Amino acid sequence: MSAGFLKVEGLGKVYPDARGGAPLVVFKDIHFGIEKGEFVCLIGHSGCGKSTILNILAGLEEASSGVVIMGPREIAGPSLDRGVVFQGHALMPWLTAKRNVAFAVKSRWPHASRSEVDARCQRFLDLVGLTGAEHKKPAELSGGMKQRVGIARAFAIEPQMLLLDEPFGALDALTRAHLQDTVMGLHQKLGNTVMMITHDVDEAVLLSDRIVMMTNGPSAQIGEILEVPLSRPRKRLELVADSTFLKCRQRVLEFLYERHRFIEAA
């Protein structure tokens, strides 16, 4: 792949030791690219720097070395061109679901009319299955519903890229499955470019076009990038016994297990 949309070149993150000792090298020499409209998952054991990489792509954290280029420009701070969904929903508790989405929409299009903002908010709340819950505040919503609001808010501003940091990690299995299907449906319908952090192997294979697998930290690197040649749209129940799905799942598990054992033995 030419990876013409987003390029990560030589990325590294180092934290100095407060007592003057050896610095902590979280990851180093990270290179990968993402094509426009692609869905990429980043997976690896805790401590390999996955969320730090996502934060650098979001412009929320600075790299110690290397660059991230999206389109014609280097990423140098937050932008509405990149939407972020974290594990915590990060909703404003005093606003309703619709007004939480509207806050982002107004930031993106400050001169939009009230009716235009309202229509856009309703459209994306409908797309994530929150029809009828528009006027409820976060305290009145379940954990899964709160995440749906966060997903609607991220998609509603039409970012060039969506960055998802384990957005389903704190949810029960059934709610998680429903939200995975929701994100797959939105990606299929809207064609967004998506990068998602996950610890869940099945989730990575189900959602991804490619899976970027990181070695263990410290000094983590990309160990392998796996193509997931499954056609879309994908139906979860049909993939349970699909040979390609199972081969991809096995390869990711082997990578994670082998790297873990290697680090333990070192």
Side-chain angles (χ1 to χ4, degrees):
M1 286 191 176
S2 62
F5 176 68
L6 181 130
K7 297 177 183 179
V8 176
E9 300 180 347
L11 207 65
K13 185 66 179 181
V14 179
Y15 291 106
D17 186 272
R19 299 180 180 178
L24 172 64
V25 181
V26 182
F27 53 81
K28 61 181 182 180
D29 199 30
I30 300 294
H31 295 265
F32 66 90
I34 300 178
E35 287 289 350
K36 193 169 183 64
E38 193 176 19
F39 198 124
V40 172
C41 276
L42 185 62
I43 196 167
H45 291 290
S46 295
C48 70
K50 301 184 300 297
S51 291
T52 303
I53 290 174
L54 184 138
N55 285 338
I56 292 170
L57 267 60
L60 301 174
E61 193 165 343
E62 292 185 2
S64 302
S65 58
V67 295
V68 180
I69 300 168
M70 191 175 82
R73 291 184 292 274
E74 181 180 345
I75 288 176
S79 168
L80 290 171
D81 287 338
R82 280 158 276 132
V84 187
V85 180
F86 297 104
Q87 184 171 330
H89 54 78
L91 300 181
M92 289 172 278
W94 60 90
L95 297 180
T96 63
K98 181 177 277 189
R99 291 183 67 191
N100 265 282
V101 178
F103 183 86
V105 171
K106 290 175 183 176
S107 298
R108 177 69 162 170
W109 294 284
H111 302 298
S113 68
R114 183 172 180 177
S115 62
E116 289 171 333
V117 171
D118 186 73
R120 174 169 288 271
C121 293
Q122 190 64 53
R123 177 193 173 204
F124 282 89
L125 288 168
D126 291 344
L127 284 172
V128 299
L130 286 178
T131 307
E134 304 92 335
H135 304 298
K136 292 185 177 181
K137 293 183 178 180
E140 303 173 272
L141 302 174
S142 68
M145 293 172 79
K146 291 173 187 175
Q147 280 300 76
R148 287 178 187 273
V149 177
I151 292 167
R153 180 174 59 186
F155 275 94
I157 63 171
E158 295 185 9
Q160 292 186 45
M161 186 169 190
L162 278 164
L163 301 164
L164 311 178
D165 192 358
E166 295 193 76
F168 317 134
L171 304 174
D172 64 87
L174 185 58
T175 302
R176 185 184 189 114
H178 285 317
L179 282 177
Q180 289 167 352
D181 291 342
T182 296
V183 168
M184 273 199 298
L186 287 170
H187 175 251
Q188 183 75 20
K189 185 179 182 69
L190 303 172
N192 301 81
T193 306
V194 183
M195 179 176 165
M196 178 173 169
I197 306 295
T198 183
H199 280 100
D200 188 309
V201 174
D202 286 355
E203 180 172 83
V205 179
L206 174 68
L207 297 176
S208 299
D209 297 305
R210 288 185 300 144
I211 302 172
V212 177
M213 295 181 276
M214 295 190 66
T215 63
N216 288 35
S219 297
Q221 294 180 290
I222 291 175
E224 185 176 336
I225 297 178
L226 178 71
E227 299 278 347
V228 182
L230 294 167
S231 60
R232 296 185 185 273
R234 297 175 183 175
K235 297 182 179 179
R236 159 190 319 274
L237 294 179
E238 293 177 1
L239 292 176
V240 172
D242 183 273
S243 60
T244 301
F245 179 89
L246 294 174
K247 286 177 183 177
C248 291
R249 182 179 186 273
Q250 180 179 354
R251 180 60 207 136
V252 178
L253 287 170
E254 287 173 349
F255 175 88
L256 295 174
Y257 181 66
E258 288 167 1
R259 291 293 182 175
H260 187 57
R261 291 191 63 190
F262 176 79
I263 294 297
E264 285 183 336

